[in-house]
């Protein structure tokens, strides 16, 4: 087999399973904005992933618009990137079925996110939640995406995408799908829960106090950082002193990511600082960075029809890439089409 070269192309997505969090922003969207100037980029509100757990239908539509508004307000530019919601491009679900027949049960059984989300009641989880990583592989490979910028929590799913692409290419003796690279970098690839530094910050976590929502107002942001769990010791003199201090490290990493610097530089600015100094400084920084985004989100959400038009136009552009890839996949697999 001669290895083809694939045009560099970015794909990534967010599911509308709740309001956008600071974790989604720092772990994903903020870097997408930079990448759209470097490579052809495709960003998706992955509504088919959201329904792997129960979603109220009316809230799902609004949630989809809210995630799209968050992406647009953060700087995703529909003139530079393709932005759409997944269910408007049916090829995602069609390719996912083929990948369900490529992925092995043993691989799926190793997925830690399924174990975390299904918890002790896995028998009651949907089949969709179990098959989630196969749909994610389809999202990525439908566009022959070479780079997937994600937070640390999605690394295992991108690795599974690579396994699916390799097995497909091997089984059908064609180098058809690229072996996609996860792009996981920056100081906040895993933003942690503000009340428990051993868990990641999630949209759907139990308490609102454990996360910063992109639509939180300044007072709420200040209150959440003030009440964020920490140990009693002040900040260390060097970054090595953050080892084994999950909550302290999380707040320093959030500060570093928001100010486009490193944890080392933050500690150099606040050596030995107490929480009474650092937490208000972090809250002020977060408000200064997030307020313009949340103001713009609110403005965009006042005109839902315009968001719907943007997503529909993006879906058309996405289908123009996706449909020929799916057709060729069908041909390779031997599925008859007229
Ligand atoms: N805490 C986080 N830190 C860094 N990155 C994060 N991401 C999510 N949480 C963090 C990144 O955001 C992108 C979109 O994630 P998603 O919405 O598709 O799914 P998720 O990772 O399951 O996000 P949530 O917030 O935890 O959603 P729920 O609670 O509904 O399951 C991904 O790139 C992810 O890495």
């Amino acid at each position: 087999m001669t290895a083809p070269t694939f045009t560099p192309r970015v794909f990534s997505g967010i599911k509308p399973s709740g309001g956008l969090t600071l974790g989604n922003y720092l772990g994903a969207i903020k870097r997408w904005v930079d990448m759209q100037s470097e490579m052809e980029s495709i960003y998706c509100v992955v509504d088919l992933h959201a329904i792997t757990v129960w979603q109220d239908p009316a809230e799902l539509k609004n949630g989809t618009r809210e995630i799209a508004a968050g992406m647009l307000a953060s700087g995703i530019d529909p003139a530079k990137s393709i932005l759409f919601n997944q269910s408007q491009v049916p090829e995602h679900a069609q390719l996912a079925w083929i990948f369900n027949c490529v992925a092995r049960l043993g691989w799926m059984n190793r997925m830690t996110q399924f174990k975390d989300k299904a918890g002790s009641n896995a028998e009651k989880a949907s089949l969709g939640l179990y098959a989630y990583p196969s749909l994610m592989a389809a999202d990525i490979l439908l566009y022959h995406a070479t780079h997937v910028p994600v937070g640390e929590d999605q690394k295992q799913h991108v690795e599974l995408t690579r396994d699916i692409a390799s097995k497909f290419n091997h089984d059908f003796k064609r180098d058809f799908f690229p072996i996609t690279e996860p792009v996981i970098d920056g100081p906040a690839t895993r933003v942690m829960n503000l009340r428990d530094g051993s868990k990641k910050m999630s949209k759907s976590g139990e308490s609102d106090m454990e996360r910063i929502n992109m639509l939180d107002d300044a007072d709420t942001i200040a209150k959440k950082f003030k009440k964020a769990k920490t140990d009693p010791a002040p900040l260390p003199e060097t970054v090595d002193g953050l080892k084994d201090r999950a909550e302290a490290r999380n707040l320093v990493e959030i500060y570093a990511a928001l100010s486009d610097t490193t944890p080392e530089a933050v500690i150099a600015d606040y050596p030995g600082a107490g929480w009474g100094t650092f937490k208000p400084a972090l809250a002020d920084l977060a408000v200064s960075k997030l307020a313009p985004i949340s103001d713009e989100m609110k403005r965009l959400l006042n005109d839902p029809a315009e968001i719907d038009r943007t997503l529909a136009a993006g879906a058309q552009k996405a289908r123009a890439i996706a449909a020929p890839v799916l057709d060729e996949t069908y041909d390779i697999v031997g599925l008859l089409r007229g």
Side-chain angles (χ1 to χ4, degrees), residues 12-29 31-32 46 49 53 55 67 113 117 132 136 148-155 188-193 199-205 211:
S12 204
I14 298 195
K15 51 181 204 292
S17 48
L20 269 185
T21 70
L22 185 63
N24 299 135
Y25 176 66
L26 294 178
I29 302 178
R31 286 171 314 118
W32 300 357
V46 287
H49 283 280
V53 299
Q55 303 294 333
I67 302 287
Q113 183 166 296
K117 301 235 172 208
Y132 182 118
M136 180 164 155
V148 180
V150 281
E152 181 68 37
D153 59 316
Q154 292 295 335
K155 185 168 181 227
T189 55
R190 191 170 176 84
V191 177
M192 305 311 279
N193 178 319
K199 293 189 189 153
K200 74 160 193 155
M201 184 182 287
S202 268
K203 295 184 213 88
S204 57
R211 62 180 163 263

Side-chain angles (χ1 to χ4, degrees), residues 238-260:
T238 69
V239 82
D240 292 342
L242 290 172
K243 197 168 166 285
D244 300 326
R245 295 180 64 190
E247 284 89 8
R249 194 178 61 235
N250 187 38
L251 296 186
V252 169
E253 286 177 354
I254 292 174
Y255 193 108
L258 283 170
S259 54
D260 287 313

